[in-house]
Amino acid sequence: MNSIAKSLLKSAKHGRATWLRSRSDTSGKRHPRKLVLGIETSCDDTGAAVVDDAGCVLGEALHCQKEVHLQAGGIIPVVAQQLHRENIERVVKEALGTSGVSIPDLTAVATTVKPGLALSLGVGLQYSLGLVNKYQKPFIPIHHMEAHALTVRLTYQLEFPFLVLLLSGGHCLLAVAQGVSDFLLLGQTIDIAPGDMLDKVARRLSLRKHPECHSMAGGQAIEHLAQTGNRQQIMLRFPMQQYRSCDFSFSGLQNIVNNTITRKEKEEGIQEGEILSCVKDIAAAVQHTVTVHIMQRTYRAMVFCMKNSILSSKNATLVVSGGVASNQYIRKGLKTLADVNGFAFLCPSPRLCTDNGVMIAWNGIERLRVGLGVLHSTEGIRYEPKAPLGIDISKRVAEDSIKVPRLKKIIQLAS
């Protein structure tokens, strides 16, 4: 472990842990038959929760590493691994304690095993296997993106099928959820995810030095500054305009933004690391360009699904989830797009959009109900840093070559 990682871990040990406690069941009633403990360690959040088969969150806890990684300007996997190791037992005990449920009372343990950071996934899997082997409980391996996609069914009465857009720091994809563990993949990012791109732009703009943003994560800082910026002052090209698919790309846009920042620094006579006078305009332009790109691909997915009778016009629904779905500008644009196309729009609450143990436990409940992937032997279980979601039909989408109308009027409605 290098010196930077060691110093970050040292500061984390002296800092206060960040905890999220949810509602607990204090009614004194008997617990329903099925109780699942969910454990999440796919990236930089250590989460645990107990959820019952009625969809009640009995207890949850979360340790967030954001402050530590902000100091390094990005997630260092070995640091994330060590912080997971230091906090996982405490987080699990907190969730169990709040729920009033003991491990012998659990029906099963569900844990994220794919996709994610290898070192982080390994911590959650190792701890979970220790529990299930000691207490002889069934184990439910969870696909992180499946859990994000199904979280909406915890808080809304939503039947399959529905269109789901997952936006986060590590993922970006469009899929049709046809059932638990039954997905049609329409498109995904061919390079980096939108959250990753926004974080990198924030670092290039040195937003941690901005007086309004010093304690914010990169994406949050971009959203905050964009509120008072003028996007029309900075012209950026929308990605992949020549490709009529549902795939996404953000690395090319990031390069264009970096070049724009360098040009502006020369114009203002400042060095890299100093704050540009037009920083809010750049933030607004970047956020808008990302939003329009996401809206264009989602629009095509809607048209494709209706054209091919994958979704019915009577109950077509767009679900948006993942950490980037907490961005209100992006969310508003997508809601307006859904309204214009006759889709219902659903999005989990912001706290359920980011990584958490609740979504993992709920995915476990969903799988228990239909008897999918409930393992009574843990032999041969491995984590998978990369793992596709569902059946990939993105080539079929591209072959349809659907041209979508211009978004200018929809964007005006969203503004």
Side-chain angles (χ1 to χ4, degrees):
M1 190 182 298
N2 62 31
S3 58
I4 296 175
K6 288 179 179 178
S7 65
L8 287 173
L9 286 170
K10 186 176 181 180
S11 66
K13 289 176 181 178
H14 289 290
R16 291 186 61 186
T18 304
W19 297 94
L20 169 66
R21 295 183 178 89
S22 181
R23 57 192 181 277
S24 59
D25 181 12
T26 56
S27 62
K29 296 179 182 178
R30 289 185 62 190
H31 292 302
R33 185 169 58 90
K34 295 178 180 178
L35 296 163
V36 172
L37 168 66
I39 296 176
E40 157 64 23
T41 64
S42 68
C43 190
D44 61 336
D45 289 324
T46 312
V50 178
V51 176
D52 68 22
D53 56 357
C56 294
V57 181
L58 305 180
E60 67 175 303
L62 182 75
H63 178 267
C64 180
Q65 303 176 10
K66 183 185 80 171
E67 292 298 327
V68 177
H69 296 297
L70 273 176
Q71 296 176 40
I75 297 171
I76 298 178
V78 68
V79 173
Q81 177 192 45
Q82 185 60 33
L83 291 174
H84 282 308
R85 285 174 174 166
E86 292 174 4
N87 291 287
I88 188 167
E89 185 167 6
R90 188 161 40 136
V91 168
V92 170
K93 286 183 177 179
E94 177 82 12
L96 288 167
T98 305
S99 71
V101 174
S102 62
I103 296 176
D105 294 331
L106 294 171
T107 306
V109 175
T111 303
T112 306
V113 299
K114 60 184 177 183
L117 298 177
L119 295 179
S120 294
L121 289 169
V123 175
L125 179 58
Q126 183 179 23
Y127 183 85
S128 300
L129 293 182
L131 283 183
V132 299
N133 290 328
K134 180 178 180 180
Y135 293 93
Q136 294 297 295
K137 294 294 177 181
F139 182 64
I140 308 175
I142 298 296
H143 191 297
H144 185 75
M145 304 314 292
E146 178 183 306
H148 270 305
L150 299 183
T151 300
V152 69
R153 284 167 47 88
L154 172 66
T155 50
Y156 295 97
Q157 293 285 331
L158 177 62
E159 299 298 323
F160 297 110
F162 55 86
L163 178 63
V164 60
L165 170 64
L166 301 180
L167 304 167
S168 71
H171 306 278
C172 182
L173 62 85
L174 276 161
V176 176
Q178 300 187 119
V180 178
S181 195
D182 183 5
F183 292 84
L184 297 177
L185 182 64
L186 306 180
Q188 61 188 323
T189 180
I190 62 173
D191 38 59
I192 62 175
D196 185 25
M197 181 256 177
L198 292 172
D199 285 344
K200 287 176 178 175
V201 170
R203 286 200 294 274
R204 179 64 183 83
L205 288 168
S206 302
L207 295 189
R208 284 208 73 206
K209 297 179 181 178
H210 196 286
E212 298 177 24
C213 307
H214 62 89
S215 63
M216 295 181 182
Q220 284 180 301
I222 294 288
E223 181 180 9
H224 173 76
L225 294 179
Q227 292 174 359
T228 50
N230 182 355
R231 62 177 174 82
Q232 295 179 332
Q233 293 296 315
I234 307 291
M235 302 307 296
L236 300 173
R237 190 170 68 249
F238 299 117
M240 300 186 74
Q241 290 297 288
Q242 70 274 37
Y243 298 105
R244 294 180 180 178
S245 70
C246 285
D247 288 329
F248 304 83
S249 174
F250 298 96
S251 64
L253 176 58
Q254 182 194 328
N255 290 335
I256 291 171
V257 174
N258 286 345
N259 291 336
T260 300
I261 294 169
T262 300
R263 187 177 71 252
K264 290 294 182 181
E265 286 171 341
K266 289 180 180 178
E267 290 176 5
E268 295 190 11
I270 67 171
Q271 299 293 317
E272 181 176 336
E274 297 181 68
I275 303 296
L276 285 163
S277 64
C278 61
V279 66
K280 293 184 177 181
D281 296 339
I282 293 175
V286 169
Q287 178 177 256
H288 178 74
T289 306
V290 167
T291 300
V292 171
H293 179 47
I294 291 169
M295 289 174 66
Q296 286 175 333
R297 315 321 265 188
T298 305
Y299 201 162
R300 181 171 289 111
M302 290 175 168
V303 175
F304 175 84
C305 289
M306 303 308 288
K307 175 187 172 185
N308 292 281
S309 302
I310 296 173
L311 297 175
S312 167
S313 59
K314 293 181 180 179
N315 56 3
T317 301
L318 171 64
V319 171
V320 183
S321 190
V324 177
S326 299
N327 181 296
Q328 294 303 306
Y329 188 86
I330 294 174
R331 187 183 291 207
K332 189 175 181 181
L334 290 166
K335 184 181 187 309
T336 304
L337 178 68
D339 292 343
V340 168
N341 286 279
F343 275 63
F345 179 85
L346 295 177
C347 191
S349 65
R351 76 177 188 87
L352 291 178
C353 280
T354 53
D355 294 349
N356 60 85
V358 173
M359 70 179 194
I360 306 305
W362 173 247
N363 198 173
I365 289 290
E366 292 260 48
R367 283 178 163 268
L368 269 176
R369 285 175 174 170
V370 294
L372 276 174
V374 182
L375 307 180
H376 296 275
S377 171
T378 58
E379 186 176 351
I381 294 176
R382 300 286 186 272
Y383 59 81
E384 300 175 47
K386 294 184 179 181
L389 178 69
I391 300 170
D392 189 345
I393 63 167
S394 58
K395 288 184 179 179
R396 182 180 158 195
V397 177
E399 287 169 359
D400 272 18
S401 189
I402 296 169
K403 183 179 180 180
V404 296
R406 290 174 62 85
L407 295 174
K408 188 173 182 179
K409 291 184 178 179
I410 295 175
I411 293 165
Q412 287 174 343
L413 288 171
S415 298

